[in-house]
Structures are given as structure tokens and as C-alpha cells.
Amino acid sequence: MMERLLILEDGSVYRGQGFGSDELKTGELVFNTSMTGYQEILTDNSYCGQIVMMTYPLIGNYGINRDDYESIEPAVFGFVTRDLCQSPNNWRSQETLDDFLKAHNIPGIYDVDTRAITRKLRNKGTMRAMMANPDTDIEAAVKQLQETDYLHDQVARVSSSKIFPIPNRGHKVVL
């Protein structure tokens, strides 16, 4: 794993370890207090354009499996956790969290103080954030964050552009 930074629009910088993709993106940093369900959160389209931080400390312990996806493609822009389990132990696990994030071009960072960041977000509200390499010009990154607008096209980004059937028995429903 390599060192990675989490930079917030207020100038806060958190050093941690990178995992997942090296394709670093800017997004709205939010937190989730669930103790389980990180896979469902990552594939929940309501998090489109957001960098999701988990407040539960250990994430990745049961791996990833295709049966628990909430959508076909994840739409989150990043993932933050305190501790990362790199050797999941569950009979349903098909891949590690790190492998999943790499396959879907989602950057992650762990070994950061998620409690301090959560308190900051609770007091100040969500903030724009980015993950960055350790040699990044912090002042320039903060300026970029402050000038970047939030997404306004999430529905278009996550909506299907084609009709597709979902096999089932019983009544047919069209959405």
C-alpha cells in the first residue's frame, strides 16, 4: 500500500494508506454510521459523486460478493475507513474490498482518524474533498476544492439508458 492524503475544502489534511484505484477524484465527503453493509453502501446509487467514510472502524472483513450489489455499477467517488481488512473471512466472499475498488476505479484511503473527520462533518456539514498523492501542492488542492461545484447530474449518471428485463414469476411491473 502507498501513502495517500485526504484533503478537505477547509484545508484539513489527513495522511493515510491508499488502496483501491489510483484514479483520484473530487467529491462530497459524507459519513455512514452502519456497522455492516459496506458493499451495499458502495453500490447504492444515492451516493453518486460522494466520497463515503465509514464510522465503523473495521471494514472489508467479509469481502465482496455479487449477490449483495445494490446496482450494476457503483457510483461513489471514493471510500474512507479507519482499518482495512485485507483478508476477508466469509464463505460468500468472491473478492477483497481492495480488488473491488480497483476493478471499479474507486480510490480508497485507510488509517485515518475517522472519528475526528466525523466530528468535523457533524459540526460544519458535508465538505468537498479529494484524495491525493503525498507530493500534492496542498494550497492548490484546497483552492481547487473551494472552486469546484457539487454534482448536479446524479440522476442522469445512474439511470439506465436502455430497457432490460429482470426474470421473475408473478405480476409484471414496469418502472
Side-chain angles (χ1 to χ4, degrees):
M1 301 291 173
M2 65 245 135
E3 187 178 34
R4 186 169 281 168
L5 304 177
L6 177 64
I7 304 171
L8 279 57
E9 70 178 272
D10 71 350
S12 302
V13 179
Y14 300 89
R15 291 186 181 276
Q17 298 299 309
F19 70 108
S21 174
D22 290 330
E23 186 180 313
L24 306 175
K25 303 172 187 173
T26 298
E28 177 185 23
L29 182 62
V30 299
F31 65 87
N32 185 294
T33 60
S34 297
M35 292 175 60
T36 62
Y38 59 84
Q39 176 179 329
E40 291 85 350
I41 292 163
L42 283 167
T43 57
D44 182 342
N45 283 335
S46 70
Y47 288 106
C48 178
Q50 296 178 325
I51 297 172
V52 178
M53 180 179 64
M54 302 300 294
T55 60
Y56 190 76
L58 179 63
I59 301 296
N61 55 327
Y62 54 84
I64 301 287
N65 73 79
R66 184 64 187 104
D67 292 338
D68 292 335
Y69 280 28
E70 295 291 317
S71 64
I72 295 170
E73 287 295 321
V76 299
F77 279 16
F79 198 58
V80 181
T81 186
R82 173 70 184 112
D83 292 319
L84 172 67
C85 178
Q86 298 179 36
S87 301
N89 186 9
N90 185 292
W91 66 275
R92 296 177 67 217
S93 179
Q94 296 170 329
E95 64 183 327
T96 66
L97 177 56
D98 183 41
D99 290 338
F100 172 82
L101 294 180
K102 284 177 181 166
H104 294 283
N105 290 320
I106 301 168
I109 186 172
Y110 73 97
D111 199 20
V112 294
D113 189 349
T114 55
R115 289 178 62 181
I117 301 168
T118 300
R119 282 192 301 270
K120 181 181 292 272
L121 294 178
R122 278 195 173 152
N123 292 332
K124 297 183 178 182
T126 59
M127 289 189 211
R128 288 177 289 267
M130 70 169 59
M131 289 181 216
N133 294 318
D135 59 351
T136 298
D137 179 343
I138 304 297
E139 287 182 25
V142 170
K143 186 175 192 267
Q144 177 187 339
L145 285 168
Q146 292 170 346
E147 294 173 352
T148 300
D149 195 11
Y150 290 109
L151 289 183
H152 298 286
D153 64 343
Q154 292 93 325
V155 172
R157 286 176 181 250
V158 300
S159 296
S160 176
S161 60
K162 59 184 175 188
I163 297 171
F164 59 93
I166 299 174
N168 70 338
R169 289 179 274 186
H171 298 288
K172 302 231 182 266
V173 177
V174 178
L175 302 172

